[in-house]
Amino acid sequence: MSGDISVAPGHPQRVSAATGVLPEIAARAAEAIAIRHDLHRHPELAFEEHRTSARVAELLQHWGYAVTTGVGGTGVIGTLQRGNGTRRLGLRADMDALPIAEETGLAYASQNEGLMHACGHDGHTAILLSAAHYLAHHGRFSGTLHLVFQPAEETGSGASKMIDDGLFERFPVDAIYGLHNWPGVPVGHFGFVDGPAMASVDWARLKVIGKGGHGAEPQGSVDPILAAAHIVTALQSVVSRNVDPRQMGVVTVGSIHGGQAANVIPDAVELTLTVRAYLPDVRDTLRRRVIEIAEQTASAFGARAEISFPRGFPSVINHAGQTALVRDLAVQAFGREQVVADFAPRTASEDFAFLLQARPGSFIFVGNGDSASLHSPRYVFNDAAIAPAASLWARLAEHYLVEEAA
């Protein structure tokens, strides 16, 4: 149903980003930034977002939302219903931080040692809260709005935990939207992707088991380091010789540990890997070939490979109708120059993928300007992105939640 909605035809007049920001949101930009800085000072890891959740719930309740806490652990849902409209829209923000020691030198830097909002989830939460304030006080819509503040995105388990806790049965939506800031894209500009927008990710732990011995007498041993070295090399053929060159796949060996002394051959070596793809069939191919190469290469050297390869989370696959809708709204509000032409899919991963498997929707990107990369201890979320992104969320809610289907 929602995929059939379209924005009014015609070529919108070119406008500045300032024009695209709703005046009511611009007027309280300083307050939204203060909220973001407060969240940044108090980062919390996955499923430990107790202070963050309480702060979000407090603000939503103060603004008149019906608030439900504890969804999927530490998740918060803010619900606002108006008029007789039957449409139901979900907007999602993630709340968790990372186990990274901050090196920004900001006046509002993390006060929790070893923890940091190094991915901008504090900014995403502030964006949705800014839109929430506008919609509660000025929003013109008819229908039901569910604001989803999700825990544990970084571990890939928050979205699925909320779904398992009855997210869409308790708070049904016809479409769900989310966003992420992106360094290197001009601040306040927007990126939209049809179809696969971010990669799936699976993590593997590989143990190569041999037979230890003295480094001076390798003939009496089965060297797991030698076998592991050949496995690492062979794994580089998985994508180049098993995946269509027009598709994307990544196999990365991120760590290798084995041995403690130069003259001792260890009994075992451990490796960890990440495996990413856009398409489900490519994901399955990578998984199969990683296992086969690890086991058979180890065997060729007289060793044995034990591999733990649990499923991570799938690729973010945007729905065409919902993506076209929000893209057209951005063009109308901000002008075509604020929408990045041919924005490319990202090879990072996001557990918003689980939400898009359950309901139609789209995951969009907002520019963070010239900043350090995501997950860097020097990353800084750009506060100038809050008002444009919040305005887009507000416009989407007002457009989507109407009395009758278009």
Side-chain angles (χ1 to χ4, degrees):
M1 177 179 67
S2 55
D4 295 329
I5 302 174
S6 61
V7 177
H11 298 285
Q13 182 181 1
R14 293 171 68 88
V15 294
S16 68
T19 303
V21 173
L22 291 164
E24 297 87 349
I25 288 178
R28 61 181 306 277
E31 184 176 347
I33 291 171
I35 291 171
R36 206 279 291 182
H37 291 185
D38 175 68
L39 297 175
H40 189 88
R41 288 189 187 94
H42 305 282
E44 297 170 301
L45 295 178
F47 298 121
E48 297 176 6
E49 309 95 333
H50 302 293
R51 183 189 184 278
T52 305
S53 294
R55 179 70 171 138
V56 167
E58 176 188 29
L59 290 169
L60 293 175
Q61 287 171 341
H62 182 65
W63 298 336
Y65 284 79
V67 175
T68 306
T69 60
V71 182
T74 45
V76 179
I77 308 293
T79 299
L80 196 61
Q81 195 280 327
R82 285 185 179 160
N84 298 317
T86 59
R87 293 192 180 280
R88 305 158 301 181
L89 176 67
L91 300 175
R92 172 268 207 175
D94 39 15
M95 301 187 295
D96 58 322
L98 285 157
I100 293 175
E102 184 164 353
E103 298 177 6
T104 63
L106 294 169
Y108 55 89
S110 170
Q111 297 178 5
N112 296 342
E113 185 176 358
L115 304 183
M116 178 189 175
H117 271 295
C119 203
H121 295 185
D122 52 339
H124 305 162
T125 299
I127 287 168
L128 191 51
L129 286 172
S130 181
H133 181 275
Y134 169 87
L135 290 165
H137 293 85
H138 311 286
R140 299 175 297 277
F141 66 90
S142 180
T144 302
L145 175 68
H146 293 303
L147 305 183
V148 180
F149 293 86
Q150 181 203 303
E153 185 280 327
E154 295 293 356
T155 64
S157 54
S160 55
K161 287 285 188 181
M162 294 190 85
I163 291 171
D164 291 344
D165 201 11
L167 174 63
F168 292 127
E169 291 75 29
R170 299 162 63 187
F171 311 97
V173 300
D174 301 306
I176 183 84
Y177 287 84
L179 62 72
H180 208 291
N181 76 93
W182 209 262
V185 176
V187 64
H189 285 54
F190 297 97
F192 303 91
V193 180
D194 291 319
M198 299 188 79
S200 63
V201 61
D202 297 301
W203 296 273
R205 182 174 296 276
L206 172 63
K207 187 174 185 178
V208 181
I209 303 170
K211 179 184 176 183
H214 199 294
E217 298 180 342
Q219 72 279 7
S221 304
V222 175
D223 190 346
I225 291 180
L226 178 62
H230 281 267
I231 290 172
V232 171
T233 300
L235 288 176
Q236 307 315 304
S237 72
V238 171
V239 174
S240 66
R241 291 299 177 266
N242 294 274
V243 176
D244 188 318
R246 294 166 294 183
Q247 305 300 338
M248 190 281 290
V250 176
V251 177
T252 295
V253 179
S255 72
I256 179 168
H257 297 281
Q260 295 181 347
N263 62 344
V264 178
I265 295 173
D267 286 320
V269 174
E270 292 192 357
L271 306 87
T272 60
L273 299 77
T274 54
V275 180
R276 301 175 190 266
Y278 287 143
L279 300 180
D281 61 335
V282 174
R283 183 187 187 191
D284 292 339
T285 296
L286 297 182
R287 180 183 183 85
R288 174 176 56 81
R289 289 300 291 144
V290 165
I291 294 172
E292 290 174 347
I293 285 174
E295 292 179 342
Q296 294 175 17
T297 304
S299 178
F301 285 87
R304 177 168 54 91
E306 294 180 352
I307 187 164
S308 172
F309 207 159
R311 289 280 183 177
F313 40 101
S315 55
V316 173
I317 301 179
N318 286 333
H319 297 249
Q322 287 72 23
T323 303
L325 169 63
V326 70
R327 179 193 289 116
D328 289 348
L329 285 171
V331 169
Q332 285 195 356
F334 295 93
R336 293 189 183 279
E337 68 274 18
Q338 297 296 122
V339 175
V340 181
D342 301 321
F343 190 85
R346 271 35 189 170
T347 54
S349 304
E350 239 283 352
D351 78 342
F352 193 79
F354 289 114
L355 302 179
L356 289 178
Q357 284 187 334
R359 295 294 184 274
S362 189
F363 193 70
I364 71 175
F365 301 87
V366 60
N368 198 57
D370 184 17
S371 74
S373 64
L374 300 173
H375 292 208
S376 165
R378 292 172 294 281
Y379 164 86
V380 178
F381 178 85
N382 196 323
D383 289 325
I386 296 176
S391 296
L392 183 59
W393 274 167
R395 292 176 186 276
L396 174 61
E398 290 185 321
H399 183 88
Y400 191 92
L401 297 175
V402 294
E403 290 287 350
E404 297 179 356

